[in-house]
Amino acid sequence: MAVRDIASTLRMRDFRMLWAGSFAASFAMNMQQVARGWLVYTLTSSALDLAWVTLSFMLPMALFSLWGGVIADRLPKRRVIIAAQALNSAATVVLAAIIYTGNVTFWDFIWIGALNGTVLALSVPARQAFVPELIPERLIFTGMSLTTTAWNVSRIVGPAFAGFLIAWVAAGDTASARGVGIVYFIIAALYLVAAVTTVLVSKPGNVKERDGKGPLEDIADGMRYVRANRPIFGLIVLSVVPFVFAMPVNALLPAFNEDILGGGPEDLGLLMSAMGGGAIFGSLAMASMGGLRHKGRWLLATCVIWGVSTLAVGLAQTVLVASAVVAAFGWLTAWNMSLNRGLLQVRVSDRMRGRVMSIDMMSHGLMPLGVIPIGFLAERYDIAVALICAGSAFVLAIAALALFSRSVRGVDT
C-alpha cells in the first residue's frame, strides 16, 4: 500500500515539480552547511563563532516566520516560493565571489546567514502549506514523508560532495577558500533550479478571502487557533524542544569532527552523510506507517530516544562510532519530524494552514536558545561535554512535558 501511495503521489505533476524544487533547495542548504562550517572554523578556530553564525541564520526564523504564515495565506504560494529561491540564488552568487577571491571574513557569513534565514522564514510556510493543495487528503502523510525523504537524501549526497570537493580543490591546503567558493557557486545554481521547477507548477496556491483584517490580526487569529486546539499546541511544543536541545549537534559537528575526532573535511562529509542516511530510513519508515496507531505515544517515545542519541554523540571517540551514532540520530530526527508534521497537516483547518505552519517554523528559530549556551559549554570545557549536557537536558524536558503538560499528553486525542 505504501509503495502504491508513493507512486500515486509522484505521478501528480504539480507535486512532482514542487518536490523537485524542494530537493534542489535542500541539496543546496546541506552543501552550504558543510562549506560554511568548514571555512568559518578554519578562519576562527572557535566553536562559539560557529554558534554565532548559526544564530544569524536561525534568529530571523523566530522573528519573521509568523509574517511568513500571513504571506502564505494571503498571497499565491507559488509566487512566494519562486521569489524566495531567486533571491537566495542571487545572494549566494555574491558570497561565492567574495569567498573565491579570498576576501571573505567572519562577518560575511553573518550577513548571508541573516538573509538566508529571513528568506526561509517568509517562504517555508508557503511551501509546507502548498503540499496539501496539490495532493488528496489521503496522501498527505505520504507527500510530507516524500518531502522529508528528499531533504534527507540531500543530507547524504550534498555534504559528501561538498566535503570531497573542498578537499580536492584545496589539494591539502586546508586554509584555502577556493574550494569553498566553487561550492558556493554550485549552491547558487541549485537555488536557481528550485525557482525554475516551481515556475512549472500549474496551480498558484489558494488564498484566504479578504476580510478586512490586517496582518497583525491574522497573526493573532493564528495564535489563538493554536492555543485553543490542545493537540495542535502539543505538537508545536514537541517541535520546539528538539530544536532547542538536539539541533545544536548539526551546528557544532564541524568542531566536534576536528577537535574530538581529529577528522578532516572528508570525515565531516562522511559524518553528515551518515546522519542523512539514517534520516532516509526514518522518513521512508514513516511513509510506510501511515496507519500506525497511537501516533502521539510514538512521538513522545522517539523524542526520548532522540535525546539519548544526542547524548551518545558526545560520547563517541572515533569517526566510525560517531558515524553510527549520528546515523541513529538522523533516523530519529526524520521519523519524529515527519510524524509531527503529518499530524499537524491533517489536523489543521485549511484557512489556518499557512499560519499554523509558520508557528511551527518559528520553533526552528528557537534553536539558538540551545546553540549559544551549548557553544559556551564547548568553549569552557569541550564539545563532547556540551553535547552530553544537551542530550541530558533534552530527555529531562520531554519527561517533564509528558508528566505536567495536558496538551502534550493529549496529542493522541
Side-chain angles (χ1 to χ4, degrees):
M1 179 65 71
V3 174
R4 289 199 298 272
D5 286 347
I6 291 172
S8 298
T9 304
L10 289 176
R11 277 197 294 268
M12 298 177 183
R13 183 180 181 277
D14 279 349
F15 174 80
R16 190 169 65 249
M17 291 298 100
L18 183 69
W19 181 83
S22 297
F23 180 74
S26 61
F27 199 99
M29 288 180 63
N30 279 284
M31 287 182 65
Q32 190 171 1
Q33 187 174 1
V34 169
R36 179 183 62 214
W38 179 257
L39 188 54
V40 168
Y41 202 68
T42 298
L43 290 171
T44 68
S45 299
S46 170
L48 186 57
D49 282 342
L50 282 175
W52 283 117
V53 171
T54 301
L55 175 63
S56 73
F57 178 74
M58 302 303 296
L59 186 59
M61 296 187 190
L63 296 176
F64 303 122
S65 60
L66 294 179
W67 295 94
V70 173
I71 291 171
D73 286 337
R74 284 178 171 237
L75 299 178
K77 299 174 181 64
R78 181 183 62 183
R79 188 188 307 168
V80 173
I81 297 166
I82 293 169
Q85 300 303 347
L87 181 58
N88 267 338
S89 179
T92 306
V93 166
V94 173
L95 182 60
I98 294 172
I99 295 171
Y100 191 82
T101 57
N103 297 316
V104 68
T105 68
F106 168 75
W107 293 104
D108 291 314
F109 292 99
I110 295 295
W111 74 257
I112 194 66
L115 177 61
N116 288 156
T118 301
V119 170
L120 279 175
L122 297 177
S123 64
V124 167
R127 183 179 291 277
Q128 292 181 341
F130 205 9
V131 172
E133 297 178 17
L134 305 179
I135 55 179
E137 184 176 347
R138 68 178 184 84
L139 295 176
I140 286 179
F141 265 95
T142 303
M144 296 304 296
S145 296
L146 284 172
T147 301
T148 305
T149 300
W151 163 257
N152 291 322
V153 169
S154 73
R155 292 174 71 182
I156 289 182
V157 184
F161 181 58
F164 285 115
L165 185 59
I166 292 169
W168 176 65
V169 174
D173 180 10
T174 57
S176 172
R178 186 165 174 259
V180 180
I182 291 174
V183 168
Y184 265 86
F185 279 118
I186 295 172
I187 291 167
L190 287 168
Y191 281 131
L192 184 60
V193 169
V196 171
T197 55
T198 309
V199 170
L200 299 176
V201 176
S202 63
K203 296 181 179 179
N206 299 334
V207 295
K208 79 181 187 73
E209 295 180 3
R210 295 182 179 274
D211 52 14
K213 292 184 177 181
L216 290 177
E217 291 176 286
D218 279 351
I219 291 174
D221 284 347
M223 299 293 284
R224 283 192 291 267
Y225 176 82
V226 168
R227 191 66 188 91
N229 289 268
R230 280 186 173 172
I232 292 176
F233 181 75
L235 289 168
I236 297 291
V237 170
L238 290 176
S239 179
V240 170
V241 172
F243 270 87
V244 172
F245 295 113
M247 290 308 168
V249 171
N250 301 64
L252 298 178
L253 201 57
F256 182 80
N257 169 67
E258 184 168 325
D259 290 357
I260 304 299
L261 304 178
E266 303 95 331
D267 297 306
L268 179 58
L270 177 63
L271 287 171
M272 298 194 73
S273 295
M275 188 183 295
I280 287 176
F281 284 103
S283 55
L284 289 177
M286 188 67 256
S288 65
M289 299 172 70
L292 181 71
R293 299 181 63 190
H294 304 300
K295 291 183 176 69
R297 297 179 191 177
W298 280 103
L299 192 66
L300 282 168
T302 52
C303 276
V304 172
I305 304 171
W306 191 359
V308 173
S309 72
T310 304
L311 184 155
V313 172
L315 296 174
Q317 295 295 314
T318 67
V319 173
L320 183 62
V321 172
S323 297
V325 175
V326 298
F329 179 94
W331 190 97
L332 291 159
T333 300
W335 203 98
N336 185 282
M337 291 178 64
S338 294
L339 180 56
N340 192 308
R341 300 283 170 77
L343 287 170
L344 272 178
Q345 290 282 17
V346 299
R347 291 182 179 184
V348 70
S349 166
D350 184 62
R351 67 185 179 85
M352 287 286 183
R353 195 179 302 278
R355 279 164 284 178
V356 172
M357 292 300 105
S358 74
I359 294 170
D360 180 58
M361 181 72 179
M362 186 175 63
S363 71
H364 300 191
L366 297 174
M367 177 180 164
L369 295 178
V371 171
I372 297 302
I374 291 169
F376 275 116
L377 283 174
E379 290 276 298
R380 178 65 178 82
Y381 300 100
D382 63 41
I383 296 168
V385 170
L387 294 178
I388 290 170
C389 291
S392 301
F394 187 178
V395 173
L396 291 174
I398 294 298
L401 288 169
L403 287 173
F404 301 113
S405 171
R406 286 194 295 170
S407 294
V408 168
R409 290 198 306 271
V411 292
D412 252 338
T413 303

